[in-house]
Amino acid sequence: GAVVSQHPSWVICKSGTSVKIECRSLDFQATTMFWYRQFPKQSLMLMATSNEGSKATYEQGVEKDKFLINHASLTLSTLTVTSAHPEDSSFYICSANAVGTEAFFGQGTRLTVV
Amino acid sequence: GQQLNQSPQSMFIQEGEDVSMNCTSSSIFNTWLWYKQDPGEGPVLLIALYKAGELTSNGRLTAQFGITRKDSFLNISASIPSDVGIYFCAGSRTGSTLGRLYFGRGTQLTVWP
């Protein structure tokens, strides 16, 4: 089946630095990718919808200047957490849609800001 | 934003027992989905339901799309240790798994051997 790969799987960074997370669709072209955030024992909360070649659509309450999303190609979307702080520590998950197929999720990225 | 009410929040059962969990919403969804998430992994789709009243099975898993389009349930029969994980319901207002998904809070399933 279709595969969505996230990189890195986990990252530890210092407070104030920026972290980039990649989401790749390995064997299909994804016109739309979604970025979710999940706190421990909580549900997945949608952060933004990313369409290839256009600006991402952010959910209410999500700071677009802090969570920069770039969807430059049909197989790659990136999420950059800028000036990360400990409260940004979370599990970030992407999903990718291809036309006529189900949505596939990446394996997630565990971000820890110290 | 819209959130689905999923219950129970957690279940502790013995291997071989059947499991049932459900999800309700105050608004209509055109697609209901059930996912399983293992620790440190992304969700994996178990069953997708596209029609009100639809009953679909996938091995030991059975799920139904409620007639009102506001609820769904998932049953797991004869549970085994590898069923352990968090099960999420999700709804989509589109008629497919594409588009924005709204997730329930999850049901943590623990299976004792």
Side-chain angles (χ1 to χ4, degrees):
Chain A
V3 177
V4 175
S5 177
Q6 271 184 251
H7 178 81
S9 297
W10 59 269
V11 58
I12 301 173
C13 72
K14 290 185 177 181
S15 185
T17 61
S18 295
V19 174
K20 180 184 284 189
I21 302 170
E22 294 185 346
C23 180
R24 293 182 183 272
S25 56
L26 297 185
D27 52 1
F28 67 97
Q29 293 185 327
T31 52
T32 304
M33 290 185 175
F34 299 89
W35 286 96
Y36 294 85
R37 183 173 178 174
Q38 186 180 30
F39 291 107
K41 298 185 178 181
Q42 298 290 321
S43 185
L44 284 76
M45 299 302 294
L46 182 66
M47 299 175 66
T49 302
S50 169
N51 292 298
E52 186 266 338
S54 64
K55 290 184 179 180
T57 302
Y58 289 81
E59 293 297 300
Q60 191 173 10
V62 177
E63 299 176 58
K64 63 179 181 180
D65 293 330
K66 180 168 185 62
F67 299 99
L68 301 178
I69 292 173
N70 184 284
H71 193 161
S73 76
L74 286 172
T75 59
L76 174 65
S77 176
T78 61
L79 167 68
T80 302
V81 182
T82 62
S83 186
H85 289 94
E87 58 266 29
D88 297 324
S89 299
S90 187
F91 195 54
Y92 293 87
I93 308 173
C94 71
S95 74
N97 288 352
V99 176
T101 72
E102 65 182 75
F104 296 95
F105 284 83
Q107 75 271 33
T109 297
R110 170 73 60 194
L111 170 63
T112 302
V113 185
V114 297
Chain B
Q2 172 77 55
Q3 189 153 34
L4 306 183
N5 300 308
Q6 186 173 348
S7 64
Q9 192 171 356
S10 61
M11 301 185 74
F12 298 83
I13 63 169
Q14 198 159 21
E15 183 176 1
E17 292 184 355
D18 297 342
V19 171
S20 183
M21 58 192 79
N22 67 80
C23 218
T24 61
S25 169
S26 59
S27 59
I28 289 173
F29 285 103
N30 291 316
T31 303
W32 280 92
L33 309 161
W34 286 93
Y35 289 88
K36 183 189 178 197
Q37 184 180 29
D38 291 326
E41 299 288 332
V44 174
L45 182 64
L46 299 174
I47 292 181
L49 303 158
Y50 301 104
K51 292 182 181 179
E54 178 182 352
L55 184 71
T56 297
S57 293
N58 178 8
R60 293 179 294 105
L61 277 61
T62 301
Q64 185 158 30
F65 190 148
I67 294 287
T68 64
R69 297 188 182 181
K70 293 182 179 181
D71 64 311
S72 177
F73 72 75
L74 174 70
N75 287 341
I76 305 173
S77 63
S79 58
I80 59 178
S82 63
D83 290 334
V84 167
I86 303 176
Y87 292 79
F88 289 100
C89 62
S92 170
R93 295 214 165 86
T94 69
S96 69
T97 63
L98 307 180
R100 192 198 196 289
L101 297 180
Y102 299 83
F103 283 86
R105 287 187 175 276
T107 296
Q108 172 73 62
L109 177 63
T110 302
V111 180
W112 299 101

